[in-house]
Amino acid sequence: MALVSPSIKATTQAQVRASITRRDRNIGGLVLYVLLLIAVATTLLVLFTLLARLFAPALPVFRDRGLSFFTGTIGSNPDKVGIWPGLYGSFIIGIGVIVVSIPLGVAAAIYLEDYAQNRWYNRLIVINIRNLAGIPAVIYGILGLTIFVGWLEPLTTGKTVIAAALTLAVLVLPIVIITATEAIRSVPQGLRDAGYGVGASKWEVTRDHVLPYAAPGILTGTVLSLARALGEAAPLILIGAITGLLPATSLDGPFTALPMTIYSWSSKATPPKSVLGFDNVAAAAGVALLLLVLVFNIIAVIFRNRFEKQRIGL
Amino acid sequence: MTLIFRIAALTSVVISALIVFTLVRGAIEFLRLVPLSGLIDDAKTPGWFPRRNRFDLPTVVLGTLIMSSIAMVVAVPLGLGTAIFLAEYASSRTRRIIKPIIEVLAGMPSVVVGYFALKFIAPELVANLFQPDKIQNMTAAGIGIGILIVPIMASISEDSLSAVPGALREASYGVGARKSATVIRVVLPAAVSGIVAAFIIAVSRAIGETMVATMAGGLDGSGARTSSPLDPGLSITAALTNAAGGSDQALVGAPVKVLFFLGLLLFVVTMGLNLIADKFVRRVRQKY
């Protein structure tokens, strides 16, 4: 004690006092926190503005037109147009995705998880699938235009909804495979071993144990990919979806889909005498598409939550 | 059974092969009609005018660069900020509320964002902020693309922040660091590979984003070369959709064949970016 000179003691005291009072004024930390809050708030604000700016012009359409907006066809008078051809096209595309990419995707996932050995060609398939998932959608449109509209014309009869459905099925295939692979990977090894232990074959174990256990996860992925396929417009422009007049919907004739309807109406000028503008009907079609996609996303979230609960054993 | 599964898995390889084959074949056919030297327009006012057989590559490359840069300026602060907030600051209750909202944004069809860019961002936001000559311009389109990629930036960054072991944070608190210092000096550097991956994937998506660029870019498939973000402009993707254009065109001639060339360009660039991002993601996995 006697060795400590008073002057040192004074500076120490000052330092201690300073560090204690500085703690109360943690400006850097506060600034960071506020910046982060601004980022989150802006993101939420953008989303809410977008929704408000979509719903506001859409409301008069739903109010004035009611059901006829859903049953009418596309055309040049915004007071008369409807989204029926779009709904029809999107419905067929949805069916196409379910019929083509789900069986194919799940089978590929089963192979990669349970059957494939760790060889270079199997690793190549995995890398390839990850790359396919990152390719811009519009490139799948070029593929669809060449293969499904061009080469397979006898099957699809050209620029039809069948060609569009196949193109979008191919587009979402990598997503289906990746999510199904993850779902199958989460199946406990013990379940498989137990199956083999009682003499089941590989296929029997896959069919009776692995697939039922992985089903909610696989469903989540497929529902999400369905939502993605329904919202995609770029490949449809390439395939040649109709934006002008479409008197009748058919599997083997000209087609359109809901996102294409929004795309074409967004840039159409409103004729002078009409009550509703193309702005309004485009927004209303946007609301319809958004609700459709949202419903699928919510279903996926419900599946995922059930999936997670099942994992903890509830 | 094994054979059926193997064929299913091989389908993906066939798809890739077909994509590459289609693009390369079409691009070669295009280059037979328009030599490489013709891809830089030497007219007084150079530009992308496919109907007049003028294919000025710098026009669409500049357009893509400008729009994706603006998109990143929007998406990086919003996405990364949201990710840091969710991973480091938010209580689990806040997270439960905000995450699903971000997922709604992630599921937003791009054509709806295109409508929003066309009807709100351009006429009300950009027009008031920057007073551009033309209502429709690349800034509006870029902001729209940025909104679309915020969720990707946010979710991949958040995953990599959450992957940083808690022990690192505790060690930092243990030596007396504050929360802000811990986040900036410990957590962010530890998660940097994942954040870089998020950035690269977001850039790749921005370059490949088609609908917003086509709808809000302000041009109908042709326009002069410009480097001003407040001018209307064409991205590679917008030039591509316009080349496919009308539904009753036959696949002949350079104005249409150019879509394969643009597609190949887009494919090579985005795939390159994705492969680089993949390397960074794998580095995160190896570390922790």
Side-chain angles (χ1 to χ4, degrees):
Chain A
M1 262 315 192
L3 290 172
V4 178
S5 67
S7 66
I8 291 178
K9 210 173 183 178
T11 46
T12 319
Q13 265 177 353
Q15 272 173 357
V16 168
R17 189 174 296 126
S19 69
I20 287 170
T21 44
R22 221 189 308 142
R23 188 169 284 275
D24 291 336
R25 296 182 279 118
N26 178 9
I27 291 175
L30 196 67
V31 168
L32 178 69
Y33 187 67
V34 169
L35 285 178
L36 294 178
L37 273 185
I38 291 175
V40 177
T42 313
T43 308
L44 299 183
L45 183 72
V46 165
L47 179 63
F48 291 128
T49 316
L50 194 157
L51 293 178
R53 286 306 178 125
L54 192 68
F55 278 84
L59 280 180
V61 178
F62 293 125
R63 204 183 45 222
D64 295 0
R65 299 285 311 282
L67 256 183
S68 74
F69 180 66
F70 296 93
T71 54
T73 188
I74 55 177
S76 54
N77 180 356
D79 286 328
K80 287 223 175 78
V81 293
I83 55 173
W84 172 248
L87 288 174
Y88 175 84
S90 290
F91 179 73
I92 303 291
I93 287 169
I95 302 270
V97 168
I98 292 172
V99 172
V100 176
S101 53
I102 292 175
L104 208 57
V106 174
I110 293 172
Y111 173 76
L112 291 174
E113 269 309 300
D114 280 358
Y115 285 78
Q117 273 117 29
N118 190 15
R119 298 267 166 74
W120 66 268
Y121 47 86
N122 289 326
R123 282 199 297 273
L124 187 78
I125 293 179
V126 175
I127 295 171
N128 174 56
I129 289 166
R130 272 215 300 273
N131 277 328
L132 276 179
I135 294 176
V138 68
I139 288 177
Y140 285 94
I142 304 179
L143 179 77
L145 180 64
T146 313
I147 311 289
F148 298 128
V149 176
W151 298 359
L152 295 181
E153 206 192 332
L155 188 75
T156 59
T157 60
K159 296 175 171 179
T160 61
V161 69
I162 304 284
L166 289 172
T167 306
L168 289 173
V170 169
L171 173 97
V172 297
L173 183 63
I175 313 172
V176 176
I177 298 179
I178 290 171
T179 47
T181 309
E182 276 161 10
I184 293 171
R185 191 174 300 155
S186 70
V187 177
Q189 190 55 38
L191 212 65
R192 295 190 180 91
D193 293 341
Y196 297 136
V198 294
S201 70
K202 192 145 198 165
W203 166 236
E204 281 166 342
V205 169
T206 306
R207 187 190 58 198
D208 298 335
H209 301 285
V210 175
L211 282 184
Y213 194 90
I218 294 173
L219 271 173
T220 310
T222 48
V223 172
L224 278 178
S225 53
L226 206 55
R228 166 96 196 269
L230 292 179
E232 207 64 71
L236 301 180
I237 303 182
L238 272 285
I239 301 282
I242 295 295
T243 54
L245 291 167
L246 189 63
T249 50
S250 64
L251 285 177
D252 55 358
F255 78 104
T256 190
L258 203 45
M260 276 306 284
T261 312
I262 304 166
Y263 165 63
S264 73
W265 285 348
S266 291
S267 49
K268 265 204 173 104
T270 303
K273 277 187 187 156
S274 54
V275 185
L276 294 165
F278 268 114
D279 280 18
N280 300 91
V281 286
V287 168
L289 177 66
L290 195 60
L291 290 180
L292 201 65
V293 170
L294 218 57
V295 164
F296 280 108
N297 276 315
I298 290 169
I299 294 174
V301 170
I302 293 171
F303 274 132
R304 191 179 55 198
N305 289 348
R306 187 169 293 177
F307 187 48
E308 275 164 7
K309 269 192 196 140
Q310 187 186 331
R311 291 294 163 272
I312 348 170
L314 286 170
Chain B
M1 228 50 227
T2 316
L3 186 69
I4 295 174
F5 292 149
R6 181 173 295 154
I7 291 171
L10 281 174
T11 313
S12 68
V13 179
V14 174
I15 292 169
S16 294
L18 283 175
I19 289 178
V20 173
F21 172 76
T22 308
L23 294 177
V24 169
R25 190 190 60 163
I28 290 173
E29 284 173 17
F30 170 73
L31 288 175
R32 250 190 229 133
L33 298 167
V34 180
L36 266 176
S37 59
L39 292 176
I40 295 177
D41 198 358
D42 47 14
K44 208 167 198 176
T45 47
W48 184 269
F49 300 100
R51 316 254 150 201
R52 278 181 263 157
N53 267 311
R54 283 167 63 191
F55 303 95
D56 183 47
L57 206 51
T59 304
V60 289
V61 171
L62 264 175
T64 297
L65 282 180
I66 291 170
M67 289 190 218
S68 4
S69 307
I70 294 169
M72 293 314 287
V73 169
V74 172
V76 169
L78 295 187
L80 192 56
T82 305
I84 298 174
F85 181 81
L86 287 177
E88 302 297 320
Y89 285 88
S91 65
S92 68
R93 214 173 119 237
T94 321
R95 212 178 1 244
R96 262 208 307 278
I97 299 167
I98 295 182
K99 268 193 126 172
I101 301 180
I102 304 286
E103 272 166 23
V104 171
L105 194 56
M108 188 69 66
S110 56
V111 67
V112 172
V113 178
Y115 173 86
F116 183 61
L118 197 65
K119 305 290 178 190
F120 176 74
I121 300 176
E124 298 190 32
L125 194 71
V126 177
N128 289 331
L129 283 177
F130 305 108
Q131 268 89 34
D133 296 336
K134 295 262 170 62
I135 292 285
Q136 307 300 338
N137 53 59
M138 288 193 272
T139 305
I143 294 174
I145 298 172
I147 293 173
L148 265 179
I149 56 178
V150 165
I152 301 162
M153 190 71 213
S155 69
I156 304 176
S157 307
E158 201 216 328
D159 285 347
S160 67
L161 289 169
S162 306
V164 174
L168 247 60
R169 294 183 186 85
E170 283 153 23
S172 170
Y173 294 140
V175 295
R178 289 196 180 105
K179 175 106 196 172
S180 53
T182 305
V183 169
I184 290 175
R185 301 231 183 121
V186 178
V187 180
L188 279 182
V192 75
S193 304
I195 294 171
V196 171
F199 183 87
I200 299 170
I201 291 171
V203 171
S204 157
R205 289 286 169 88
I207 291 174
E209 173 45 46
T210 308
M211 291 317 292
V212 181
T214 306
M215 293 167 79
L219 292 178
D220 226 6
S222 57
R225 191 196 295 176
T226 174
S227 54
S228 161
L230 289 177
D231 280 343
L234 270 179
S235 67
I236 297 173
T237 49
L240 210 163
T241 48
N242 280 302
S247 42
D248 37 44
Q249 271 177 336
L251 268 179
V252 287
V256 181
K257 285 276 184 232
V258 71
L259 71 90
F260 296 99
F261 177 77
L262 292 173
L264 184 64
L265 186 66
L266 201 61
F267 177 79
V268 170
V269 171
T270 51
M271 186 153 133
L273 287 171
N274 291 341
L275 286 176
I276 297 170
D278 219 48
K279 280 237 160 67
F280 280 101
V281 171
R282 219 169 302 143
R283 197 185 290 175
V284 179
R285 281 210 201 108
Q286 279 168 357
K287 236 157 105 187
Y288 306 117

